[in-house]
Structures are given as C-alpha cells and as structure tokens.
Amino acid sequence: MRLLMCPPEHFDVTYEINPWMRIANGPDPQRARAQWTALHAILAEQIGADVALIEPQPGLPDMVFTANAGLTKGDLFVPSRFRPAERQGEVAFFTAWMSDNGFQIRPLPETIEGAFEGEGDALFYGDLLLTGFGQRSDEAACREVGTLLGVDVLPLCLTDSRWYHLDTCLIPVTPSLLAYYPAAFDAAANAALEKLPGERILLTESDSLRFGGNAVVAGNRIVINSGCAALAAALRKRGFEVFETDLSEFIKAGGSAKCLVLALEH
Ligand code: ARG
C-alpha cells in the first residue's frame, strides 16, 4: 500500500472553514507532531505501508491533510479544486509532487463548475466511487471526476456541516462492508446507501463526533482516532485489527486519521 503524508511543521488553525476550527482553540504544535509521528509509525512500521512524504509549506496549515490533494486511479490523478480560498494554494504543490512521481494529471475542465476536494469527498467501495457533495464538493464536479477516471460514481448529499467531507462519516471497509453515520446524509443518500450490496455498520453519534468515520483501511487492519468504542468493537467482532491512536490536535482542525493520508494506489 502506497500513501502520501505531509509532516505537520506548519499545521495550525489560522482560519475557520469548518465548524471544528476555532482560531482561539489552536493545536499544540508538539503534541500535534507527536500524534502525527505515531500515526506515521503505525502505517509505515506496524502495517508496513510505503509512506511517501511531501514537503510542508509555510502559510498552508491544512496541507497536512493530504487526503484533500486529489484522487488517483491507476496512474491518473485529478487534482482538487478547493472551495475555500485558504486551501487553494496547496494545489500547485500537490500537483507538482504527483507529476514528479509519475502520475498523469487530469484536471477538471474549466467548463465544469464547482469544487472537488479529492479523497476527502471520494472513496472507492469496490469499483464504485462514492462521492460526497453539498458541503465542500459539488455534484457536477464529482460526476466529472468519474468520467475523467473512467469509473462509476454514486453522489451522496451531505447535510450536516460537522461532517463536511465524505471521509468524515463513511468508511468503505471492504468491497462488502460499509461503515457510515446515517445522520450525516440526506434521505436520498441514505436510500442509495441502503441499496448497496454488502453488510453495514452504522456509526453512533458519539463515535462520529470523535471522527470514527475517518479511518485508514489496510486489508484487515484499520487505524482510527482513539475512543471510538462501538466502532472498534464492531470491527474487532468481524476479525479486523484496530489501531486506535490519539489525534486530538488534528480534530481541532476538523480532521483525523484518514484526512492525513492520500492513497497513491487504487
Ligand atoms: N481544516 C481542513 C479543512 O477544513 C480539514 C480537512 C480534513 N480533511 C478531510 N479529508 N476530511 O479543509
């Protein structure tokens, strides 16, 4: 498994673009560095993932959340088009890194309007690309990403600003096991999710508030924020090895384990 992470050198809360961010409640830099290093060690050492790093940039405090760089499929990469101006400066750095590392860049055409925030709002469930829209990404842009990458897309409307990216409230655990928080989606999305094949784990509100719905999956091993008791138990019951690691400082910016990682292989 190949992943991209960005060290938290410049991570901070200097603006507020989601309900979790409070400039007055910024992260502790040392604790953030220790938490990021622990997550990196779980992925690179315990799980054995091949973790590449991109150089962090001053003035881009959310660049640590590499899931929002864009979306890969094979050697194709669709760069994000961020909704908040505060994050738009990240695109050039991520795109240059992906291009230098062998990806063919497939930008959204200018004729397609709207935002697309990468793997934050686009997760593969088997071959189907589940996308989140209505908060940070737009439906038309999500559909166009499917066309650019040659995959089928199921757009799901997110209705609660606390779960503003799909990866904050949905985990495709395997191609036949989906975990999600129903209250984060509208009725049509819930109906569509219920129709998908496979088994479902419905996340509790308290686990969702601790970013339980934001997990890195590597085969039968899963990494989540600590303290998501019901989800950890449901996964362990099904034979998964669950790594719980404290990511409190990143939750102050509205992100947890999955947000800190971009998959370089699909
Ligand atoms: N502060 C960041 C933002 O609001 C957090 C991004 C979290 N990333 C994610 N993939 N959900 O853009």
Side-chain angles (χ1 to χ4, degrees):
M1 180 163 82
R2 290 185 66 221
L3 305 172
L4 179 65
M5 293 181 72
C6 176
E9 237 95 307
H10 304 292
F11 171 58
D12 201 354
V13 174
T14 59
Y15 48 78
E16 300 174 356
I17 56 171
N18 68 54
W20 303 86
M21 300 175 89
R22 291 278 169 268
I23 293 172
N25 181 38
D28 176 89
Q30 271 172 332
R31 208 179 295 161
R33 163 56 83 166
Q35 291 178 352
W36 184 91
T37 303
L39 174 67
H40 181 272
I42 291 170
L43 294 168
E45 288 156 33
Q46 305 204 50
I47 290 179
D50 175 3
V51 184
L53 299 180
I54 184 171
E55 198 183 322
Q57 299 295 327
L60 297 174
D62 275 334
M63 193 174 165
V64 71
F65 298 113
T66 53
N68 299 122
L71 181 71
T72 69
K73 172 78 182 164
D75 66 351
L76 302 180
F77 176 68
V78 180
S80 285
R81 189 192 273 164
F82 284 99
R83 189 183 299 284
E86 291 88 342
R87 295 202 64 182
Q88 289 166 3
E90 297 173 35
V91 176
F93 293 102
F94 282 126
T95 304
W97 191 95
M98 297 301 284
S99 171
D100 290 348
N101 284 273
F103 286 88
Q104 291 183 46
I105 311 302
R106 291 278 182 279
L108 284 166
E110 270 165 34
T111 48
I112 302 290
E113 283 184 15
F116 169 66
E117 299 206 352
E119 222 170 55
D121 270 324
L123 298 167
F124 284 100
Y125 181 52
D127 293 331
L128 180 63
L129 187 64
L130 306 181
T131 60
F133 71 94
Q135 300 289 327
R136 295 280 286 269
S137 296
D138 290 297
E139 185 177 358
C142 291
R143 288 190 187 279
E144 180 66 17
V145 170
T147 305
L148 291 171
L149 297 179
V151 297
D152 289 334
V153 170
L154 176 61
L156 301 164
C157 183
L158 295 166
T159 54
D160 186 319
S161 61
R162 290 170 296 176
W163 293 283
Y164 59 92
H165 279 142
L166 184 68
D167 74 353
T168 64
C169 53
L170 181 140
I171 314 164
V173 186
T174 71
S176 56
L177 178 60
L178 196 59
Y180 61 96
Y181 181 49
F185 298 91
D186 76 354
N190 270 291
L193 287 167
E194 281 159 28
K195 272 199 221 124
L196 289 175
E199 200 201 341
R200 262 146 279 265
I201 294 174
L202 300 185
L203 295 171
T204 62
E205 181 180 40
S206 86
D207 283 0
S208 299
L209 286 167
R210 292 189 61 80
F211 273 75
N214 189 253
V216 185
V217 182
N220 73 332
R221 293 176 292 185
I222 301 195
V223 190
I224 47 172
N225 184 36
S226 53
C228 301
L231 174 62
L235 291 167
R236 289 193 175 111
K237 200 177 93 186
R238 289 168 176 81
F240 290 91
E241 187 180 353
V242 182
F243 296 80
E244 297 180 78
T245 191
D246 185 7
L247 292 161
S248 62
E249 300 316 292
F250 297 96
I251 287 174
K252 291 176 181 172
S256 182
K258 172 66 198 81
C259 307
L260 293 165
V261 165
L262 176 75
L264 293 176
E265 270 171 354
H266 280 303

Short mmCIF file of all heavy atoms in Angstrom, two decimals, residues 17-18 21 62 65 67-68 87 117 119-120 136 164-165 167-168 214 253-255 258-259, ligand 1:
data_model
loop_
_atom_site.label_atom_id
_atom_site.label_comp_id
_atom_site.label_asym_id
_atom_site.label_seq_id
_atom_site.Cartn_x
_atom_site.Cartn_y
_atom_site.Cartn_z
N ILE A 17 -12.76 27.22 8.51
CA ILE A 17 -13.52 26.84 7.31
C ILE A 17 -14.38 25.61 7.54
O ILE A 17 -14.97 25.08 6.61
CB ILE A 17 -12.58 26.63 6.09
CG1 ILE A 17 -11.50 25.57 6.39
CG2 ILE A 17 -11.95 27.94 5.64
CD1 ILE A 17 -10.69 25.15 5.17
N ASN A 18 -14.43 25.15 8.78
CA ASN A 18 -15.40 24.11 9.14
C ASN A 18 -15.72 24.31 10.62
O ASN A 18 -14.97 25.00 11.33
CB ASN A 18 -14.86 22.70 8.80
CG ASN A 18 -13.69 22.29 9.67
OD1 ASN A 18 -13.78 22.33 10.90
ND2 ASN A 18 -12.59 21.91 9.06
N MET A 21 -13.07 24.11 13.58
CA MET A 21 -11.92 25.02 13.67
C MET A 21 -12.28 26.27 14.46
O MET A 21 -13.27 26.94 14.16
CB MET A 21 -11.45 25.42 12.26
CG MET A 21 -11.03 24.24 11.39
SD MET A 21 -10.62 24.71 9.69
CE MET A 21 -8.87 25.07 9.84
N ASP A 62 -3.24 23.63 6.44
CA ASP A 62 -4.06 22.41 6.25
C ASP A 62 -3.44 21.45 5.24
O ASP A 62 -4.04 20.41 4.94
CB ASP A 62 -5.47 22.79 5.76
CG ASP A 62 -6.42 23.14 6.91
OD1 ASP A 62 -6.20 22.63 8.03
OD2 ASP A 62 -7.38 23.89 6.66
N PHE A 65 -3.35 17.69 5.64
CA PHE A 65 -4.48 16.81 5.29
C PHE A 65 -4.38 16.42 3.81
O PHE A 65 -5.12 16.92 2.96
CB PHE A 65 -5.81 17.49 5.61
CG PHE A 65 -5.97 17.80 7.08
CD1 PHE A 65 -5.99 19.11 7.55
CD2 PHE A 65 -6.08 16.77 8.01
CE1 PHE A 65 -6.13 19.38 8.91
CE2 PHE A 65 -6.21 17.02 9.38
CZ PHE A 65 -6.23 18.34 9.82
N ALA A 67 -5.31 13.91 2.16
CA ALA A 67 -6.48 13.30 1.51
C ALA A 67 -7.14 14.29 0.55
O ALA A 67 -7.77 13.87 -0.43
CB ALA A 67 -7.50 12.83 2.54
N ASN A 68 -7.00 15.57 0.84
CA ASN A 68 -7.65 16.58 0.01
C ASN A 68 -6.82 17.01 -1.19
O ASN A 68 -7.19 17.96 -1.90
CB ASN A 68 -8.03 17.81 0.84
CG ASN A 68 -9.00 17.47 1.95
OD1 ASN A 68 -8.72 17.70 3.11
ND2 ASN A 68 -10.14 16.90 1.59
N ARG A 87 -7.33 27.22 1.09
CA ARG A 87 -6.62 25.97 0.75
C ARG A 87 -6.19 25.90 -0.72
O ARG A 87 -5.54 24.93 -1.12
CB ARG A 87 -7.49 24.76 1.11
CG ARG A 87 -7.73 24.64 2.63
CD ARG A 87 -8.10 23.23 3.05
NE ARG A 87 -7.03 22.27 2.81
CZ ARG A 87 -7.12 20.96 3.06
NH1 ARG A 87 -8.23 20.48 3.58
NH2 ARG A 87 -6.11 20.14 2.81
N GLU A 117 -12.96 18.15 -3.60
CA GLU A 117 -11.90 18.17 -2.59
C GLU A 117 -11.25 16.79 -2.39
O GLU A 117 -10.92 16.39 -1.28
CB GLU A 117 -12.41 18.81 -1.30
CG GLU A 117 -12.86 20.25 -1.55
CD GLU A 117 -12.81 21.19 -0.36
OE1 GLU A 117 -12.57 20.74 0.77
OE2 GLU A 117 -13.03 22.40 -0.58
N GLU A 119 -9.88 12.96 -2.17
CA GLU A 119 -10.31 11.76 -1.46
C GLU A 119 -11.13 12.11 -0.22
O GLU A 119 -11.79 11.24 0.35
CB GLU A 119 -9.07 10.96 -1.05
CG GLU A 119 -9.23 9.49 -1.25
CD GLU A 119 -7.91 8.75 -1.07
OE1 GLU A 119 -7.26 8.89 -0.02
OE2 GLU A 119 -7.54 8.03 -2.01
N GLY A 120 -11.08 13.35 0.21
CA GLY A 120 -11.97 13.78 1.29
C GLY A 120 -13.42 13.53 0.92
O GLY A 120 -14.24 13.19 1.78
N ARG A 136 -18.54 20.66 0.73
CA ARG A 136 -17.30 21.22 0.18
C ARG A 136 -17.11 20.89 -1.30
O ARG A 136 -16.41 21.60 -2.00
CB ARG A 136 -16.13 20.73 1.02
CG ARG A 136 -16.19 21.26 2.46
CD ARG A 136 -15.68 22.68 2.55
NE ARG A 136 -14.27 22.64 2.41
CZ ARG A 136 -13.41 22.52 3.45
NH1 ARG A 136 -13.85 22.54 4.67
NH2 ARG A 136 -12.13 22.45 3.24
N TYR A 164 -18.46 17.41 6.96
CA TYR A 164 -18.45 18.23 5.74
C TYR A 164 -17.72 17.56 4.58
O TYR A 164 -17.76 18.05 3.46
CB TYR A 164 -17.80 19.60 6.06
CG TYR A 164 -16.39 19.44 6.57
CD1 TYR A 164 -15.32 19.47 5.71
CD2 TYR A 164 -16.16 19.20 7.93
CE1 TYR A 164 -14.04 19.25 6.17
CE2 TYR A 164 -14.88 18.98 8.39
CZ TYR A 164 -13.83 19.01 7.51
OH TYR A 164 -12.55 18.78 7.96
N HIS A 165 -16.98 16.48 4.86
CA HIS A 165 -16.37 15.68 3.80
C HIS A 165 -16.89 14.25 3.96
O HIS A 165 -17.09 13.79 5.09
CB HIS A 165 -14.84 15.63 3.93
CG HIS A 165 -14.10 16.81 3.40
ND1 HIS A 165 -12.98 17.33 4.02
CD2 HIS A 165 -14.28 17.55 2.27
CE1 HIS A 165 -12.52 18.35 3.31
NE2 HIS A 165 -13.29 18.51 2.25
N ASP A 167 -15.31 11.56 3.81
CA ASP A 167 -14.42 10.70 4.62
C ASP A 167 -14.49 11.01 6.11
O ASP A 167 -13.78 10.40 6.90
CB ASP A 167 -12.97 10.75 4.10
CG ASP A 167 -12.25 12.04 4.42
OD1 ASP A 167 -12.87 12.99 4.94
OD2 ASP A 167 -11.03 12.11 4.15
N THR A 168 -15.33 11.97 6.51
CA THR A 168 -15.53 12.20 7.95
C THR A 168 -16.67 11.33 8.50
O THR A 168 -16.87 11.28 9.72
CB THR A 168 -15.87 13.68 8.27
OG1 THR A 168 -17.13 14.01 7.65
CG2 THR A 168 -14.79 14.63 7.77
N ASN A 214 -13.65 8.28 10.06
CA ASN A 214 -12.48 8.78 9.32
C ASN A 214 -11.31 7.83 9.57
O ASN A 214 -10.49 8.04 10.45
CB ASN A 214 -12.17 10.20 9.82
CG ASN A 214 -11.12 10.91 8.98
OD1 ASN A 214 -9.99 11.09 9.41
ND2 ASN A 214 -11.49 11.32 7.79
N ALA A 253 -8.77 20.90 13.87
CA ALA A 253 -8.86 21.47 12.51
C ALA A 253 -9.92 20.74 11.69
O ALA A 253 -10.11 21.03 10.51
CB ALA A 253 -7.52 21.38 11.81
N GLY A 254 -10.62 19.78 12.32
CA GLY A 254 -11.67 19.04 11.60
C GLY A 254 -11.15 17.84 10.83
O GLY A 254 -11.76 17.43 9.85
N GLY A 255 -10.04 17.26 11.29
CA GLY A 255 -9.52 16.10 10.57
C GLY A 255 -9.01 15.04 11.52
O GLY A 255 -8.71 15.32 12.67
N LYS A 258 -7.81 9.42 8.50
CA LYS A 258 -7.93 9.34 7.03
C LYS A 258 -7.55 10.65 6.35
O LYS A 258 -6.94 10.64 5.26
CB LYS A 258 -9.37 8.94 6.67
CG LYS A 258 -9.68 9.00 5.19
CD LYS A 258 -8.86 7.96 4.40
CE LYS A 258 -8.83 8.28 2.93
NZ LYS A 258 -7.80 9.31 2.62
N CYS A 259 -7.93 11.76 6.96
CA CYS A 259 -7.63 13.05 6.33
C CYS A 259 -6.13 13.29 6.17
O CYS A 259 -5.71 14.07 5.32
CB CYS A 259 -8.18 14.20 7.18
SG CYS A 259 -9.90 14.08 7.59
N1 ARG B 1 -9.14 22.01 8.11
C1 ARG B 1 -9.28 21.16 6.98
C2 ARG B 1 -10.39 21.68 6.08
O1 ARG B 1 -11.40 22.10 6.59
C3 ARG B 1 -9.54 19.75 7.38
C4 ARG B 1 -9.57 18.79 6.24
C5 ARG B 1 -9.91 17.41 6.63
N2 ARG B 1 -9.73 16.54 5.55
C6 ARG B 1 -10.55 15.53 5.20
N3 ARG B 1 -10.18 14.74 4.25
N4 ARG B 1 -11.73 15.39 5.73
O2 ARG B 1 -10.29 21.69 4.87
#
